Every structure is written in structure tokens, then in C-alpha cells.
């Protein structure tokens, strides 16, 4: 492993990635799946959620991306660092994608166009994040029209619209036990929604005490017990108790936080600086580790303790539980 890490080159094309040689036998990259399926290496926004079947294995995948080669690039990058793949029985199924794989759509779920004055229709809003309910397999999309949508993947119909934010949505998470979803928005708030009624039951303002007009909530995460909510904002991290509806702490990180997740009773966060930060649930900084991407868009955690940080330039940095850099590589997509 030390030799592999030493020979890893930042400019390495991911198509030449030798997984067996560079990763421990117990850890393969598709297992590094996580809560969110946003494409960290493609800049175009998507106007639809696309379910596809990979010809090399039975199963389905939810990906973002439209245009020539974009969809395949998003799917391939996801298999390397951060994806969750779903089949119609609502089970999570990890898949490998290879350059020769043929990906065909099975179901396209297109956001509705709202009708405005004089019968004019709005543009189809992009999807910025998606989440899946493990209970009934419903798919939730956080869209650019300030709404969230609940889809039935069996029928392909939109079951519910969550409307109340005043600006577009960045993130969404499911709180299974309480039949709720949580959304984070550009309007600086996170909202908790009842999936049965579609109504907002609570509005959280994690940056209300900040003297910064352009505040936003860019990412959210719910812990395994579904008792804590972490919000990544334009200035740092805010953690809330979902049981008492109280703010536990606000941490100023000095840069926007672009993704975070819970690792047991701690929080891992990345953002607009080349660092992976770890916090306790009370806001104490445990560690800050420099990472390869100058701006990190997503972080994933494996049960072995290793983390993958992906960001600007298609860079992926794999970091051990002890803070050492195991390898770094660049994902360039399948169309190059």
C-alpha cells in the first residue's frame, strides 16, 4: 500500500485505475457509496433524474447529467467515489462501470413546469440533489425552482410537491422513522417536511445570527439515530437536535461547507478549501487534514475508516482513518 500510494500521480486517468493493486482487498471503490448522488465532477445542471441499466450487471442507477458523454461520465465518476445504486426492489446494489459498458435509460423523471401569468410555462428546473426512502422506495428531488418533489419510481408519477422555500434547493435528506424529509436552500434555511401531508413542520435558520446577507444552506446530513441534523452553510457548520429543536453549536469554518456526513458521533466536513475537517457532536475540532482538491465538493466514508474526498478538477483523495493519504487520482470521464 505504501508503494502504491507513493507511485500514485495526481494526473492519473481514472480509466487506467488498477483497483486490485491500489486498494486493500476488503475495500472496493463502489462500496464507497454514500447518502447523496450529486455528480461531483460535472458542471452542467440536469433537468431530469435518470434511472439507467448497466449492461455489464443487473441493476439500476440514479445519475445526474445530460448532453453528449455527460451521463456516462457522471455514472463512472460515481462508481469511483460516491454513488448509491438502486434497483426496483428498493435494495441498494453497487455496480462497476467500465469504458465499454453501454448505459440505456429505463425511466426518466422530469420535473414539472409551473404555469405562470398568461399561461406561460417556466423552464424545467434542474435537480441539485436526490434522496431515496428505504421504506417505500420513493425518490425525493431537491430542485432549482425552490420546490422538492416526491416520485413513485414504479409508476413514474410525481406523488407530492413540497413548496415553501423562497430560493432554489441545494440538498435533501430523508428521516425515515418520522416520515419526514429535510431540505437545505439558497434562502439560508433548512425545512422539515411531513411526507404524508406535504406541509412544512419546522423551519431552521442556522445562519440567522450571521452578519452575511448572502447566507445559504448548501448541504445537510442526518445521523444514524435520526436525532441530529448537521447543516453546512456559507460560513460553517450548524448542528441541531431533532428531538428538542435546539441548536447544539454553530462553528465558523472560514469557508463555505459543501458536503458533510456523520461518522458515528462525529462529523466530517469539506468545503471551499483543501481540507477534511472532523468535529465532535459538540463542535470541538478533532482534526483537519489537507486534501488534494483545492475545493472539495463531496466526502464519502467507508466502514473501515477510510474516506474519499472529491473536488475541483476531478481530483479524488483517499485518506485513511489515521489521516494518511493512501492515493490521489484524477477522473477525466469516459468521453476523453
Amino acid at each position: 500500500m505504501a508503494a502504491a500510494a507513493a507511485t500514485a500521480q495526481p494526473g492519473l486517468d481514472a480509466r487506467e485505475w488498477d483497483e486490485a493493486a491500489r486498494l486493500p482487498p476488503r475495500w472496493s471503490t463502489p462500496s464507497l457509496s454514500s447518502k447523496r448522488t450529486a455528480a461531483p465532477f460535472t458542471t452542467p445542471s440536469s433537468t431530469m433524474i435518470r434511472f439507467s441499466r448497466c449492461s455489464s450487471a443487473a441493476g439500476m442507477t440514479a445519475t445526474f447529467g445530460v448532453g453528449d458523454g455527460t451521463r456516462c461520465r457522471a455514472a463512472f465518476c460515481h462508481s469511483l467515489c460516491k454513488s448509491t445504486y438502486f434497483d426496483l426492489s428498493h435494495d441498494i446494489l453497487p455496480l462497476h462501470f467500465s469504458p465499454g459498458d453501454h448505459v440505456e435509460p429505463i425511466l426518466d423523471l422530469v420535473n414539472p413546469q409551473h404555469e405562470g401569468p398568461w399561461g406561460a410555462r417556466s423552464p424545467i428546473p434542474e435537480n441539485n440533489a436526490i434522496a431515496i426512502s428505504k421504506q417505500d422506495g420513493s425518490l425525493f428531488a431537491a430542485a432549482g425552482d425552490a420546490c422538492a418533489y416526491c416520485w413513485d419510481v414504479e409508476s413514474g408519477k410525481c406523488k407530492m410537491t413540497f413548496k415553501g422555500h423562497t430560493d432554489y434547493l441545494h440538498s435533501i435528506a430523508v428521516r425515515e422513522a418520522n416520515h419526514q424529509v429535510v431540505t437545505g436552500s439558497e434562502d439560508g434555511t433548512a425545512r422539515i417536511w411531513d411526507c404524508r401531508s406535504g406541509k412544512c413542520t419546522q423551519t431552521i435558520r442556522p445562519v440567522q445570527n450571521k452578519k452575511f446577507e448572502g447566507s445559504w444552506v448548501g448541504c445537510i446530513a442526518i445521523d444514524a439515530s435520526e436525532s441530529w441534523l448537521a447543516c453546512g452553510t456559507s460560513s460553517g457548520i450548524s448542528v441541531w437536535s431533532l428531538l428538542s429543536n435546539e441548536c447544539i453549536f454553530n462553528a465558523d469554518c472560514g469557508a463555505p461547507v459543501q458536503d458533510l456526513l456523520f461518522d458515528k458521533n462525529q462529523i466530517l466536513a469539506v468545503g471551499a478549501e483543501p481540507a477534511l475537517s472532523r468535529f465532535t457532536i459538540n463542535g470541538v475540532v478533532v482534526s483537519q487534514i489537507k486534501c488534494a482538491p483545492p475545493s472539495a465538493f463531496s466526502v464519502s466514508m467507508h466502514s473501515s475508516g477510510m474516506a474519499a474526498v472529491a473536488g475541483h478538477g476531478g481530483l479524488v483523495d483517499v485518506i485513511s482513518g489515521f489521516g494518511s493519504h493512501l492515493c490521489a487520482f484524477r477522473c477525466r470521464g469516459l468521453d476523453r
Side-chain angles (χ1 to χ4, degrees):
M1 175 54 71
T7 58
Q9 301 177 5
L12 180 67
D13 192 327
R15 290 173 292 184
E16 301 175 3
W17 176 255
D18 188 349
E19 185 177 48
R22 296 185 182 271
L23 296 178
R26 62 178 295 193
W27 184 45
S28 61
T29 42
S31 299
L32 199 65
S33 59
S34 186
K35 61 189 184 303
R36 195 177 63 179
T37 53
F41 308 128
T42 55
T43 54
S45 297
S46 171
T47 59
M48 66 181 67
I49 301 165
R50 173 157 295 187
F51 280 76
S52 304
R53 184 181 300 277
C54 179
S55 62
S56 64
M60 303 184 70
T61 173
T63 64
F64 284 82
V66 292
D68 294 339
T70 305
R71 185 176 71 253
C72 291
R73 179 165 65 250
F76 183 58
C77 291
H78 283 171
S79 70
L80 285 175
C81 64
K82 185 177 182 186
S83 271
T84 306
Y85 298 93
F86 304 89
D87 65 11
L88 287 180
S89 64
H90 310 146
D91 295 326
I92 295 176
L93 180 64
L95 300 176
H96 283 276
F97 283 88
S98 301
D101 286 341
H102 181 61
V103 181
E104 294 182 351
I106 287 180
L107 178 65
D108 289 336
L109 304 178
V110 183
N111 290 332
Q113 290 178 285
H114 300 290
E115 191 168 299
W118 308 288
R121 287 188 173 273
S122 66
I124 300 176
E126 75 277 8
N127 292 303
N128 297 321
I130 60 175
I132 297 288
S133 170
K134 297 178 182 178
Q135 292 180 340
D136 61 5
S138 296
L139 187 148
F140 297 90
D145 59 354
C147 295
Y149 298 97
C150 177
W151 295 89
D152 184 341
V153 295
E154 297 285 354
S155 64
K157 295 181 179 179
C158 181
K159 299 193 296 182
M160 187 172 294
T161 300
F162 304 92
K163 189 175 182 179
H165 282 289
T166 60
D167 211 331
Y168 66 87
L169 307 186
H170 285 289
S171 53
I172 191 166
V174 179
R175 193 183 182 201
E176 301 280 358
N178 293 66
H179 302 283
Q180 295 174 331
V181 291
V182 185
T183 52
S185 172
E186 185 76 7
D187 64 15
T189 69
R191 289 177 180 255
I192 301 177
W193 307 85
D194 189 330
C195 295
R196 292 160 292 195
S197 66
K199 295 182 179 180
C200 177
T201 60
Q202 183 182 354
T203 300
I204 295 173
R205 295 178 172 83
V207 287
Q208 62 180 342
N209 295 324
K210 300 291 183 181
K211 295 180 180 179
F212 183 57
E213 295 181 357
S215 60
W216 66 85
V217 178
C219 53
I220 56 176
I222 299 175
D223 77 315
S225 69
E226 299 189 343
S227 301
W228 308 99
L229 170 68
C231 302
T233 72
S234 50
S235 56
I237 295 177
S238 178
V239 175
W240 295 70
S241 169
L242 293 174
L243 302 178
S244 62
N245 298 327
E246 294 179 340
C247 179
I248 303 304
F249 78 87
N250 266 309
D252 191 346
C253 297
V257 174
Q258 297 173 157
D259 194 22
L260 47 73
L261 57 81
F262 279 92
D263 178 25
K264 298 178 181 178
N265 61 343
Q266 295 184 343
I267 301 167
L268 272 68
V270 296
E273 58 182 359
L276 170 64
S277 301
R278 182 182 289 269
F279 298 83
T280 68
I281 199 68
N282 295 318
V284 178
V285 178
V286 177
S287 63
Q288 285 187 315
I289 302 170
K290 289 186 177 181
C291 55
S295 179
F297 305 148
S298 63
V299 57
S300 295
M301 191 77 185
H302 188 259
S303 58
S304 64
M306 286 183 282
V309 177
H312 180 73
L315 284 171
V316 180
D317 200 355
V318 182
I319 302 171
S320 75
F322 300 101
S324 60
H325 296 261
L326 301 179
C327 60
F329 60 90
R330 186 186 303 274
C331 185
R332 292 176 177 168
L334 300 181
D335 58 337
R336 294 184 180 182

